[in-house]
């Protein structure tokens, strides 16, 4: 399996080629409903997580919203 290198929230990470934002967030144990994703400086709509394939050199920022009171 070919691996690519991305920057995930400021840290370099090797992931399999063809990985989508949705697949990566699921691997990280994050729920789509509780995150926001920015790819190369552009906010990605949640509806596009499943179809947005990450490429070598991409920079992905993920913000995880935590509820509480």
């Amino acid at each position: 399996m070919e691996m690519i290198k991305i920057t995930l929230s400021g840290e370099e990470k090797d992931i399999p080629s063809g990985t989508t934002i949705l697949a990566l967030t699921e691997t990280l144990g994050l729920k789509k409903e509780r995150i926001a994703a920015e790819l190369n400086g552009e906010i990605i709509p949640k509806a596009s997580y499943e179809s947005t394939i990450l490429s070598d050199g991409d920079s992905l920022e993920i913000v995880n919203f935590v509820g509480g009171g």
Side-chain angles (χ1 to χ4, degrees):
M1 175 178 289
E2 182 183 345
M3 301 296 280
I4 62 170
K5 199 175 285 293
I6 66 166
T7 302
L8 175 61
S9 297
E11 294 184 22
E12 281 196 359
K13 185 170 184 67
D14 292 320
I15 62 169
S17 179
T19 300
T20 63
I21 292 176
L22 181 61
L24 179 61
T25 57
E26 287 175 346
T27 299
L28 296 171
L30 301 172
K31 295 186 185 298
K32 177 172 110 173
E33 300 78 21
R34 303 186 123 200
I35 64 168
E38 179 184 278
L39 180 61
N40 301 323
E42 181 180 331
I43 301 291
I44 304 299
K46 289 185 191 319
S48 298
Y49 289 3
E50 188 174 356
S51 62
T52 303
I53 298 173
L54 298 167
S55 300
D56 194 49
D58 277 348
S59 178
L60 180 66
E61 295 290 328
I62 296 177
V63 177
N64 188 20
F65 300 104
V66 179

